[in-house]
């Protein structure tokens, strides 16, 4: 008893360290077992399924580019696939040495590894893009639409042609608009310019920006508002782009006009103070044919003015200009119809009226002077072939009130609003309307308008009533919003929100900053809607560059010449039902010359490692007019999947391994199968023993029978033979 108690109370001795592997080895083995565990497999597969489900939703909300950039090409997704591959590899290798019944398990896991590796290899080494051509042209260059580029080339100012080399700069703004303040330099250190991106919109729409620039043209933003009869509120006559009136710098008339039915709006720009003074101090009674104002230098050297009314002025009769030796003779007053569209837009009237005078300084030869109504900036003396450098003796300004319609209902022009801007940034206005007795007219006719409002300064953002007013059936007001004595218009781009399901299909745009020899210029470029690059000229200091937002391009090494492109439409609609491209394949390296091939939607062409699919088409537009020409551009989607063989091989191995696993679980290699085979073999052996004993008693015939029975395969014997 004492011995028993003593044995129970005796503590167990601690296990010896002899034979235990080192801690580092045990740690590695523990990690190895975890990597091969079923728990990690469940976690990896569940996480992958969750990411793929989220990626499907993410692509719908933000587009293919976004899901590729943020999920499928992100480092975390590669790590996730790597964990899955490691788990598969460790789960297979931890069972080494493999048994025969594990063949299907091993093959299946090998197929999964090959499939994952093929997907990774294809992601990094595949190639895809588009090619396009119109009938009668060839396709030989792959346009990689998933790899945007900025192309820059210098232009020879004398010849107007690009100067080699062309600079191709990698730039991928991403799938989302940039945050304000982001700035990225994309040019290289040795480039002759510095090019940086200041703004980026993943989807954009064109807009216009106007800004002050000393080398620009006069610009006025005017906002007329009309309250028609019966309306409770006034509405804008023009949309925002139409509100801008611009006098092009290359047009010397310094005037432009715009219809504001039933009125007309005229914008003048005067950089000479005397012209502004003439606008603010028109003659009190211009009569039917207007007044010509002479500005000249008198004998004392003072600049003076003298008004001559044309009503009743006798042709050819000379009259003196007071205080000077100059005499003037009225020659004629003429009105010529305007056929030039630019002149018509500037004047806003169908005819050009002018008065001709002959001026003589003492007994010197006479000089012909011309005064154009409404165009005081035109020189009074126009050089001719016989007298190219004749000096004007006076400056003539022809004040002719505009003509308005009276009678005949609501048709015609009822009034004119004139606005003048000067070089100091000030604005002035005056308003002409119908005569007071216009309502008594019964027949439609044109009559000189009378001054109804102004002349007066025009402050910005102040509403002026031109016609009508309180308790009147119709009212027209206007206000000047912005004025640039010299300004320029620039095409810019604004962010555009694409609808759900179309994200990623918008045209990206970027604001670039280029610096050359210390001179910096900002400008915008937009990704082209077609496969052709659109170069924009940019003048920076003394150099001119062309810049395009384009794609990476790769020569295929062969060409497809498009002979014919056919588009079939659904009956009664403009919806295309099918497209077919008849091409000729030429590959000199493969000694192929003009091989005819037909490509349609379900019949691709595979040549070398590329497969060409008929994907879509484009309607060709005239670049000058923007109208469709009736031609089509065939668009072929091109793909080269570098991991295709590995993916197919892995899929085949997975199918084969799955089959082997099911076969070995229920076939001859399973435990049940082996037992069944052993049972059949045992029954056959017992049957042979019985037959042998029976043969010994009955003779050779029975032996023969036993031998015959033994030759039958076990699977072919009946139960009677065995028994």
């Amino acid at each position: 008893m004492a011995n028993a108690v003593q044995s129970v109370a005796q503590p167990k001795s601690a296990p010896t360290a002899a034979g235990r592997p080192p801690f580092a080895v045990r740690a590695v083995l523990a990690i190895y077992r975890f990597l091969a565990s079923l728990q990690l497999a469940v976690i990896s597969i569940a996480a992958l399924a969750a990411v793929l489900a989220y990626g499907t939703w993410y692509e719908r909300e933000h587009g293919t580019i976004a899901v590729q950039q943020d999920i499928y090409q992100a480092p975390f997704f590669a790590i996730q696939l790597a964990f899955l591959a490691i788990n598969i590899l460790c789960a297979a290798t931890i069972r080494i040495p493999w048994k025969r019944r594990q063949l299907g398990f091993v093959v299946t896991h090998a197929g999964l590894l090959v499939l994952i590796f093929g997907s990774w290899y294809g992601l990094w080494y595949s190639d895809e893009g588009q090619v396009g051509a119109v009938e009668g042209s060839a396709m030989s260059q792959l346009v990689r639409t998933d790899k945007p580029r900025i192309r820059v080339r210098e232009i020879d100012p004398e010849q107007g042609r690009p100067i080699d080399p062309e600079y191709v700069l990698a730039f991928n703004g991403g799938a989302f608009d940039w945050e304000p303040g982001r700035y990225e330099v994309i040019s290289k250190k040795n480039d002759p310019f510095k090019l940086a991106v200041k703004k980026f919109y993943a989807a954009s729409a064109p807009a216009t920006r106007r800004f002050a620039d000393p080398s620009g043209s006069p610009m006025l933003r005017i906002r007329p508002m009309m309250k028609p009869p019966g309306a409770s509120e006034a509405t804008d006559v023009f949309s925002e782009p139409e509100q801008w009136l611009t006098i092009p710098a290359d047009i010397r008339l310094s005037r432009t006009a715009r219809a504001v039915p039933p009125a007309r709006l005229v914008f003048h720009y005067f950089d000479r103070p005397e012209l502004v003074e003439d606008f603010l101090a028109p003659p009190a009674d211009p009569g039917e044919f207007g007044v010509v104002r002479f500005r000249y230098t008198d004998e004392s050297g003072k600049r003076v003015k003298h008004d001559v009314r044309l009503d009743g002025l006798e042709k050819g009769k000379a009259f003196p200009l007071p205080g000077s030796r100059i005499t003037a003779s009225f020659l004629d007053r003429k009105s010529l119809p305007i056929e030039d569209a630019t002149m018509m837009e500037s004047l806003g009237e169908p005819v050009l009226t002018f008065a001709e005078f002959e001026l003589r300084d003492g007994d010197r030869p006479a000089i012909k002077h011309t005064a154009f109504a409404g165009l005081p900036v035109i020189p009074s003396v126009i050089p001719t072939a016989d007298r190219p450098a004749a000096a004007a003796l006076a400056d003539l300004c022809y004040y002719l009130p505009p003509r308005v319609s009276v009678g005949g209902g609501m048709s015609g022009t009822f009034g004119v609003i004139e606005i003048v801007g000067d070089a100091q940034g000030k604005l002035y206005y005056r308003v002409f309307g119908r005569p007071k007795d216009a309502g008594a007219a019964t027949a439609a006719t044109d009559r000189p308008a009378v001054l109804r409002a102004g002349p007066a300064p025009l402050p910005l953002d102040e509403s002026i009533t031109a016609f009508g007013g309180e308790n009147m059936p119709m009212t027209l007001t206007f206000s000047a919003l912005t004025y640039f004595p010299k300004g320029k218009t620039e095409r810019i781009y604004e962010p555009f929100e694409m609808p759900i399901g179309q994200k990623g299909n918008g045209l990206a745009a970027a604001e670039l900053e280029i610096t050359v020899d210390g001179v910096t210029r900002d400008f915008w470029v937009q990704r082209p809607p077609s496969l052709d690059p659109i170069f924009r000229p940019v003048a920076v200091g003394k150099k001119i560059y062309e810049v395009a937002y384009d794609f990476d391009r790769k020569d295929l090494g062969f060409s497809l010449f498009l002979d014919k492109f056919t588009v079939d439409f659904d009956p009664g609609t403009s919806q295309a039902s099918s497209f077919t491209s008849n091409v000729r394949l030429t590959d000199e390296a493969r000694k192929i010359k003009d091989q005819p091939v037909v490509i349609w939607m379900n019949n691709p062409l595979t040549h070398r490692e590329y497969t060409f699919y008929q994907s879509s088409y484009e309607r060709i537009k005239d670049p000058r007019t923007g109208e469709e020409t009736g031609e089509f551009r065939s668009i072929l989607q091109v793909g080269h999947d570098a991991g295709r063989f590995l993916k197919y091989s892995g899929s085949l191995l997975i199918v084969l391994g799955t089959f082997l696993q099911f076969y070995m679980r229920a076939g001859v290699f399973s435990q049940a199968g082996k037992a069944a085979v052993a049972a059949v073999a045992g029954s056959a052996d017992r049957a042979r023993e019985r037959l042998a004993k029976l043969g010994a008693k009955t003779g050779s015939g029975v032996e023969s029978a036993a031998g015959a029975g033994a030759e039958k395969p076990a699977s072919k014997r009946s139960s009677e033979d065995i028994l």
Side-chain angles (χ1 to χ4, degrees):
M1 187 68 178
N3 293 335
V5 174
Q6 184 179 3
S7 64
V8 172
Q10 184 178 1
K12 295 182 180 180
S13 60
T16 61
R20 291 186 66 185
F23 174 78
V25 175
R26 285 185 283 120
V28 170
L29 291 176
I31 295 174
Y32 181 48
R33 285 192 295 269
F34 171 73
L35 293 176
S37 65
L38 179 62
Q39 292 86 347
L40 180 60
V42 172
I43 295 174
S44 298
I45 294 174
L48 180 62
V51 170
L52 293 177
Y54 177 72
T56 302
W57 173 86
Y58 196 82
E59 182 174 9
R60 177 182 175 274
E61 291 292 321
H62 303 291
T64 303
I65 298 177
V67 74
Q68 290 285 348
Q69 171 186 293
D70 295 341
I71 297 180
Y72 299 138
Q73 295 178 358
F76 83 89
F77 191 72
I79 294 173
Q80 192 173 23
L81 290 180
F83 259 103
L84 181 60
I86 293 172
N87 176 244
I88 294 171
L89 179 63
C90 293
T93 57
I94 201 171
R95 288 165 172 80
I96 295 175
W98 296 311
K99 298 179 181 180
R100 192 176 183 183
R101 61 182 175 81
Q102 293 176 318
L103 178 61
F105 171 83
V106 174
V107 172
T108 302
H109 282 62
L112 290 171
L113 291 174
V114 172
L115 180 60
I116 293 174
F117 178 74
S119 301
W120 174 86
Y121 188 82
L123 178 65
W124 287 100
Y125 296 101
S126 294
D127 202 0
E128 63 178 354
Q130 293 180 343
V131 295
V134 297
E135 292 182 357
S137 62
M139 299 171 278
S140 61
Q141 199 174 56
L142 175 64
V143 182
R144 294 164 166 161
T145 54
D146 61 336
K147 297 180 180 180
R149 298 289 186 268
I150 301 295
R151 298 182 180 273
V152 183
R153 60 191 188 189
E154 186 178 355
I155 301 299
D156 188 336
E158 297 181 357
Q159 300 182 359
R161 294 184 299 182
I163 303 174
D164 291 334
E166 180 180 84
Y167 301 89
V168 182
L169 308 176
F171 169 68
N172 190 351
F176 300 98
D177 298 347
W178 282 12
E179 294 293 332
R182 182 173 174 180
Y183 185 88
E184 182 177 325
V185 178
I186 62 175
S187 58
K188 301 175 183 178
K189 184 177 181 180
N190 296 328
D191 291 341
F193 52 82
K194 175 187 174 183
L195 190 67
V197 183
K198 300 177 64 176
K199 292 181 182 178
F200 174 79
Y201 299 135
S204 64
T208 301
R209 182 175 75 94
R210 294 171 174 84
F211 56 96
D213 190 294
S215 62
S217 304
M219 295 181 177
L220 171 67
R221 185 183 178 189
I222 193 78
R223 186 187 185 189
M225 300 190 69
M226 176 76 71
K227 181 183 177 183
S232 59
E233 295 182 356
T235 58
D236 288 332
V237 177
F238 299 146
S239 62
E240 195 278 334
E242 296 174 327
Q243 292 176 352
W244 284 92
L245 301 178
T246 302
I247 301 175
D250 56 345
I251 298 179
R252 304 300 180 182
L253 304 181
S254 291
R255 165 179 172 149
T256 188
R258 181 78 55 81
V260 190
R264 185 169 65 249
L265 183 64
V266 180
F267 171 46
H268 304 265
Y269 172 75
F270 297 150
D271 56 359
R272 291 157 49 192
E274 64 270 18
L275 299 183
V276 177
E277 180 184 341
D278 290 342
F279 179 86
L280 295 176
D285 184 13
E288 177 75 15
F289 301 117
V291 172
V292 174
R293 176 167 292 173
F294 293 80
R295 284 186 176 274
Y296 57 94
T297 303
D298 62 9
E299 292 184 345
S300 65
K302 184 180 179 181
R303 196 71 174 168
V304 297
K305 61 182 180 180
H306 177 66
D307 292 344
V308 176
R309 186 176 178 182
L310 297 188
D311 288 20
L313 190 62
E314 184 178 351
K315 292 182 180 181
K317 184 177 180 180
F319 57 90
L321 296 182
S324 71
R325 298 172 51 196
I326 303 173
T327 58
S329 299
F330 175 56
L331 299 180
D332 200 0
R333 176 183 176 276
K334 300 178 181 178
S335 294
L336 300 178
I338 300 175
E339 298 180 355
D340 182 73
T342 302
M343 178 73 78
M344 176 72 76
E345 182 179 356
S346 297
L347 286 178
E349 298 180 359
V351 296
L352 173 63
T353 303
F354 58 93
E356 296 178 327
F357 292 85
E358 194 174 67
L359 272 64
R360 186 188 304 270
D361 184 4
D363 55 358
R364 295 180 180 179
I367 301 176
K368 184 178 179 181
H369 289 59
T370 306
F372 295 89
L375 299 172
V377 297
I378 297 181
S380 299
V381 176
I382 300 177
T384 59
D386 55 340
R387 301 191 66 178
L393 299 178
D395 293 329
L396 278 60
C397 179
Y398 188 1
Y399 174 77
L400 178 66
R403 303 188 74 84
V404 294
S405 301
V406 296
M410 297 296 294
S411 61
T413 301
F414 288 2
V416 176
I417 303 171
E418 288 189 339
I419 299 176
V420 164
D422 65 10
Q424 285 69 43
K426 296 181 180 180
L427 294 172
Y428 308 92
Y429 79 95
R430 61 190 184 190
V431 179
F432 293 91
R434 304 169 73 188
K436 293 183 178 180
D437 60 348
T442 57
T445 184
D446 287 344
R447 292 176 55 184
V450 296
L451 195 61
R452 291 294 187 187
L458 177 61
L460 294 179
D461 299 320
E462 181 175 317
S463 180
I464 305 296
T465 300
F467 309 107
E470 190 175 355
N471 300 324
M472 298 294 290
M474 183 176 66
T475 302
L476 175 64
T477 63
F478 67 94
S479 57
L481 304 180
T482 309
Y483 172 56
F484 297 131
K486 297 292 182 179
K488 281 189 176 182
T489 300
E490 181 182 43
R491 171 63 62 89
I492 64 172
Y493 294 91
E494 296 178 345
F496 182 78
E497 186 68 23
M498 298 293 292
I500 298 296
Q502 295 294 323
K503 298 295 180 74
N505 296 332
L507 299 179
E511 184 182 15
L512 305 181
E513 177 189 83
I514 187 171
T515 302
V516 181
D517 298 332
V519 180
T520 300
R521 167 83 185 276
D522 295 343
F523 61 97
W524 283 85
V525 291
Q526 186 186 42
R527 198 193 77 191
S530 64
L531 300 181
D532 298 327
I534 301 176
F535 283 91
R536 170 178 177 172
V538 180
V540 190
K542 298 180 179 180
K543 294 186 177 181
I544 300 176
Y545 287 88
E546 283 186 340
V547 184
Y549 191 161
D550 193 30
F551 308 103
D552 186 39
R553 298 171 181 267
K554 175 187 176 182
D555 290 331
L556 294 172
F558 58 91
S559 65
L560 297 175
F561 188 88
L562 182 62
D563 287 322
K564 183 179 180 181
F565 177 68
T566 306
V567 183
D568 294 327
F569 298 92
D570 291 331
T573 69
S574 59
Q575 182 68 34
S577 59
S578 64
F579 339 113
T580 303
S581 296
N582 296 76
V583 301
R584 282 180 284 142
L585 171 63
T586 298
D587 188 345
E588 296 181 358
R590 300 286 179 88
K591 297 182 179 180
I592 300 175
K593 180 68 174 178
D594 292 336
Q595 176 182 328
V597 181
V598 180
I599 305 174
W600 66 86
M601 297 174 66
N602 295 319
N603 186 63
L605 163 67
T606 300
H607 182 69
R608 295 192 184 182
E609 68 270 23
Y610 294 100
T611 302
F612 297 81
Y613 303 88
Q614 182 70 66
S615 61
S616 61
Y617 69 95
E618 291 178 356
R619 299 179 183 270
I620 304 299
K621 294 183 178 180
D622 189 324
R624 295 171 298 177
T625 63
E627 298 181 355
E628 295 182 359
T629 62
E631 295 181 295
F632 297 98
R633 182 198 304 272
S634 174
I635 304 296
L636 303 179
Q637 190 71 27
V638 186
H640 162 53
D641 190 351
R644 177 185 300 178
F645 176 76
L646 294 173
K647 294 175 186 177
Y648 286 168
S649 299
S651 301
L652 182 61
L653 288 174
I654 293 173
V655 173
L656 178 61
T658 304
F659 170 76
L660 290 175
Q661 288 190 74
F662 278 104
Y663 178 73
M664 289 180 175
R665 286 182 179 275
V668 296
F669 294 104
S670 64
Q671 294 296 333
K674 290 180 179 180
V677 171
V680 172
S683 299
D685 291 341
R686 289 193 296 272
R688 290 192 190 97
E689 291 177 1
R690 292 178 182 178
L691 290 175
K693 292 178 181 179
L694 182 61
K697 294 179 180 181
T698 60
S700 60
V702 177
E703 292 177 0
S704 172
E711 291 177 356
K712 291 184 180 181
S715 60
K716 299 297 183 180
R717 299 173 191 168
S718 65
S719 59
E720 294 179 356
D721 291 336
I722 296 175
L723 296 174

